[in-house]
Amino acid sequence: SVIRIPRTGDCPKSTGERPAGATPQRRIVREESGGVPLQACIGTGAMGVVYKAVRETDGMSYAVKMLRHRFIYSSHVISRFDQEADLVGRLQHPNIVGLRGHFVAFRTRFIVLELFDGADLRHVLREGPVSESQARAILGQIAAGLQYAHGQGILHLDLKPANILVDQQGNVAISDFGLSRLIEFDGCDQECVGTPCYMPPEQFMMADLGPHCDWYSLSCIAH
């Protein structure tokens, strides 16, 4: 059945900044892809701004995530941004937004993703409750994407309605792997990261992280 998708509005402002969508159109040029003009801003996050872009060579549409310029001298943030591209590049599943490219331009970094024509689950739920059958279908697809990612050795660690994309036909894709990491990660995390309302106790303590953390977050979404 059809999901009620809100109309796309203007990209919201970030505190103390001009609207992210106010960036003038720029053409990102890569030898293998030709010109890719950035068009409307379609989303914002703590580290990046997401634009719709259309490749001139074939008219294909993409979502282009740009690292905010205020982070270009932060080795920690750059490392996270590059890691997101690396980990998403390992995932190919219909319920996970796919990677299409990763490059440097205009003194910052860009991640090119497939464009998912819909809205995030947070905005879908603001339009009103979904039916039980729709809820089952949405949760089942999230679970399928999670199970696949875990099978590839990758944790999401920031699963929440804002990071779940839904189109009018009810197709679902998990997005924003900015806090993701390998299940077998043997390093030492220095800070607690995530979205508190959807984080298990282990994630607050940054100890014993594993697939169960993502399943906890899915339970919060289901609730």
Side-chain angles (χ1 to χ4, degrees):
S1 54
V2 175
I3 301 288
R4 293 187 297 275
I5 299 297
R7 289 179 296 178
T8 302
D10 294 332
C11 204
K13 292 184 179 180
S14 298
T15 304
E17 297 183 352
R18 66 180 180 178
T23 301
Q25 186 183 81
R26 289 183 172 179
R27 180 177 286 101
I28 300 173
V29 179
R30 303 185 67 200
E31 290 183 1
E32 67 274 25
S33 62
V36 184
L38 299 182
Q39 297 185 341
C41 172
I42 57 176
T44 61
M47 293 193 301
V49 180
V50 182
Y51 295 92
K52 178 181 179 180
V54 179
R55 191 164 61 185
E56 293 177 332
T57 54
D58 57 10
M60 288 291 293
S61 296
Y62 299 93
V64 179
K65 183 174 181 178
M66 181 190 77
L67 179 66
R68 293 182 184 275
H69 279 86
R70 68 170 178 264
F71 294 122
I72 62 175
Y73 297 111
S74 171
S75 58
H76 175 68
V77 174
I78 289 174
S79 177
R80 277 198 177 278
F81 199 80
D82 290 343
Q83 177 177 277
E84 177 182 1
D86 175 61
L87 296 183
V88 175
R90 305 182 190 190
L91 303 175
Q92 297 183 22
H93 190 273
N95 299 124
I96 296 176
V97 174
L99 180 77
R100 296 295 180 265
H102 177 221
F103 58 93
V104 177
F106 302 111
R107 299 177 63 219
T108 189
R109 283 166 160 73
F110 293 83
I111 295 175
V112 182
L113 302 161
E114 65 175 318
L115 182 66
F116 198 84
D117 188 16
D120 64 59
L121 183 58
R122 173 187 55 183
H123 287 94
V124 170
L125 294 177
R126 286 178 180 172
E127 293 292 298
V130 297
S131 67
E132 180 180 344
S133 61
Q134 290 171 334
R136 287 177 179 273
I138 290 171
L139 293 171
Q141 291 179 78
I142 299 172
L146 271 187
Q147 186 172 35
Y148 171 80
H150 294 162
Q152 301 301 308
I154 296 173
L155 302 175
H156 189 282
L157 296 181
D158 196 23
L159 203 66
K160 57 186 177 182
N163 290 339
I164 305 299
L165 304 181
V166 185
D167 69 13
Q168 292 185 356
Q169 287 70 47
N171 299 310
V172 172
I174 301 171
S175 69
D176 199 345
F177 281 72
L179 301 184
S180 62
R181 52 171 269 185
L182 295 172
I183 292 176
E184 300 300 329
F185 177 73
D186 57 2
C188 178
D189 289 303
Q190 300 296 320
E191 59 181 347
C192 172
V193 293
T195 303
C197 290
Y198 300 90
M199 288 166 54
E202 297 92 333
Q203 197 167 341
F204 281 100
M205 298 181 290
M206 297 307 290
D208 189 30
L209 298 183
H212 56 277
C213 294
D214 286 339
W215 295 122
Y216 179 100
S217 299
L218 178 59
S219 299
C220 293
I221 293 173
H223 175 73

